[in-house]
Amino acid sequence: KKKKLFFFFFFFFASVPTLEGGARGAGDWRPKMATMATVGEKLLAPVDSRHLRPCAGARCPHHRKPPAGEKQPHVPQGSWARGRVLRAIDPALTYSAAFAPSTVANLGPGFDLLGCAVEGRGDTVAAKPFELAGGAKSLEDRVVIESIEGDQGRLTLESKNNCAGIAAIETLRLIESECGALGKGAGVSLQLEKGLPLGSGLGSSAASAAAAAMATNVLFGSPLPKAKLVEAGIVSEAAVSGYHADNIAPAFLGGFVLVKSTKPLILEPLECPSDLWFVVVTPVFEAPTKEMRAVLPKEISMQLHIENTGACGELLLGIVQGNVKDIGHGLSSDTIVEPARAPLIPGFSAVKANAIEAGALGCTISGAGPTAVAVVESKEDGRAVLAAMKEAFTNEGNLEIQYADVVKLCKTGAKTV
């Protein structure tokens, strides 16, 4: 009996078609799974066919070769599409809205590989469905930007050239790739409310992209997990400021995020057991990311590399251990990027000195600047540091202040509102 059962199950499972080779049915044209981005050790899309429900191969209406002259139906690839009937995907709601927080990228020595989200200001995007008469010729046709507030008329309403529009387009692309074809006339209309100033160093473009991607995903019934949306956001970031994830990842996920790799995209959220307070001061001075990246050195000495690596190690260790003093000291010890950018921000050197003297544990440039960010142990300490930093920007940099606050680490990231 045991031998008979063994051979029965052996031949049964050997005959089941898989997505990555094995006994495929005749005429089975299903594509192999591709490795996708990961967050921590969790795969955003599976590469192991054992996670997927087996089908009938050539006998399956979604997987057999179509008759001559007909197109092959779209086959969803993600595990969240498992077992679903293939049908056109249309908006599930009549309205959705999402908010994404400001972010502090680099955190001193962690250039392009470390960032965090902070409470306070951010961007909000509302999404509504609209019907395209005659259907859509491209994904770009499916996204329109109805209005933008808070940008002083500087941002374009053309979706393919706006970071929020690009993020929405890429979200629709992911939905089609992972879950199935969109309805013939399904479109999205966006309304963007800018709460963050442009070129401030607080992740303005990332906040718009994250809010737009989340609002679009929610409008269609949230077919994609939140972490997957980072892929849409990073395409948007690449179009406006370069291919980096140290703003967009924490804008979506919240807290501290380590970018272990961008190709493939591998992110590691870092839990910080301590309550953190940040002093954020933004002067009226624009520092475009592309221009601030252009001043960075192409080569550095081995000594600078060693010192900066040590500072980054101290910062990372401080985060995971909840040691606020190590976080502050590590954040304040950048030897490569801050020295190159600081002279371009009027008064920054005085701002940093004033912050440390007033009790800050560390101070650096937020992202590409001009915002200065300091780490303090409490909100009470933060008030004194805030006043000292504002005074330095005003007296030494001759700059007005457009935003200043003492804020906590934002642990939630983008959210519906």
Side-chain angles (χ1 to χ4, degrees):
K1 272 189 176 182
K2 288 183 179 179
K3 285 185 178 180
K4 286 181 180 179
L5 285 172
F6 171 81
F7 284 110
F8 172 78
F9 284 111
F10 175 82
F11 286 111
F12 174 79
F13 285 111
S15 66
V16 173
T18 69
L19 284 178
E20 299 200 5
R24 289 173 175 264
D28 185 1
W29 50 266
R30 287 172 295 165
K32 293 182 179 181
M33 297 297 290
T35 303
M36 306 297 282
T38 61
V39 175
E41 300 303 319
K42 296 180 180 179
L43 213 54
L44 294 189
V47 294
D48 190 340
S49 61
R50 292 173 297 178
H51 294 297
L52 300 177
R53 183 178 299 172
C55 73
R59 300 185 301 279
C60 174
H62 299 303
H63 292 155
R64 66 169 180 249
K65 281 188 176 179
E70 290 188 17
K71 292 183 179 180
Q72 295 173 340
H74 175 76
V75 180
Q77 296 289 302
S79 61
W80 40 87
R82 174 175 44 197
R84 292 185 180 178
V85 177
L86 294 183
R87 56 180 175 77
I89 299 175
D90 289 302
L93 305 174
T94 58
Y95 176 86
S96 68
F99 169 87
S102 53
T103 49
V104 177
N106 304 338
L107 292 167
F111 178 70
D112 272 10
L113 59 85
L114 191 61
C116 71
V118 295
E119 293 182 351
R121 288 186 177 185
D123 286 2
T124 303
V125 173
K128 297 183 293 185
F130 81 95
E131 187 74 19
L132 288 93
K137 295 180 180 179
S138 67
L139 283 175
E140 287 80 2
D141 294 338
R142 294 182 183 273
V143 178
V144 298
I145 300 177
E146 185 178 330
S147 64
I148 303 176
E149 296 181 5
D151 68 324
Q152 290 78 49
R154 297 175 58 190
L155 298 177
T156 178
L157 292 173
E158 192 175 5
S159 61
K160 65 180 181 180
N161 293 319
N162 180 290
C163 54
I166 295 170
I169 291 167
E170 292 304 315
T171 300
L172 294 182
R173 195 184 310 280
L174 284 172
I175 291 174
E176 280 209 318
S177 172
E178 303 294 335
C179 308
L182 297 171
K184 184 178 180 181
V188 182
S189 174
L190 303 178
Q191 293 177 317
L192 169 60
E193 183 181 339
K194 291 293 299 176
L196 294 174
L198 307 182
S200 61
L202 289 172
S204 175
S205 60
S208 294
M214 174 160 277
T216 301
N217 187 50
V218 171
L219 189 71
F220 280 81
S222 301
L224 301 173
K226 190 177 182 181
K228 182 71 177 174
L229 297 176
V230 178
E231 293 182 24
I234 202 171
V235 174
S236 174
E237 283 284 83
V240 296
S241 61
Y243 193 87
H244 53 89
D246 49 349
N247 281 116
I248 194 66
F252 273 113
L253 305 176
F256 289 97
V257 180
L258 174 65
V259 183
K260 296 168 73 173
S261 169
T262 54
K263 295 182 180 180
L265 181 61
I266 303 175
L267 308 173
E268 186 70 44
L270 303 175
E271 291 289 336
C272 182
S274 296
D275 286 334
L276 281 179
W277 290 91
F278 297 90
V279 180
V280 179
V281 181
T282 305
V284 180
F285 180 83
E286 192 167 321
T289 301
K290 287 186 177 180
E291 294 180 19
M292 296 299 278
R293 292 179 84 87
V295 302
L296 300 181
K298 300 296 185 293
E299 297 180 355
I300 59 170
S301 68
M302 180 62 74
Q303 185 59 36
L304 285 181
H305 165 69
I306 293 170
E307 292 174 5
N308 206 70
T309 302
C312 192
E314 180 183 29
L315 174 60
L316 288 169
L317 197 60
I319 291 171
V320 297
Q321 292 182 341
N323 189 321
V324 183
K325 290 184 178 179
D326 283 351
I327 293 173
H329 187 263
L331 172 142
S332 202
S333 303
D334 177 20
T335 59
I336 299 172
V337 176
E338 184 186 303
R341 288 176 168 172
L344 303 181
I345 302 174
F348 175 76
S349 296
V351 170
K352 183 170 183 174
N354 274 21
I356 301 299
E357 186 177 344
L361 300 175
C363 179
T364 191
I365 302 169
S366 176
T371 295
V373 59
V375 174
V376 293
E377 288 189 286
S378 67
K379 190 168 187 178
E380 290 69 30
D381 291 345
R383 292 193 184 100
V385 172
L386 183 72
M389 293 171 69
K390 289 172 64 178
E391 181 184 5
F393 264 133
T394 302
N395 296 338
E396 301 298 327
N398 294 316
L399 298 176
E400 295 180 4
I401 305 300
Q402 63 175 321
Y403 175 62
D405 203 358
V406 183
V407 295
K408 294 188 71 174
L409 182 72
C410 174
K411 297 184 178 182
T412 57
K415 60 183 181 180
T416 55
V417 292

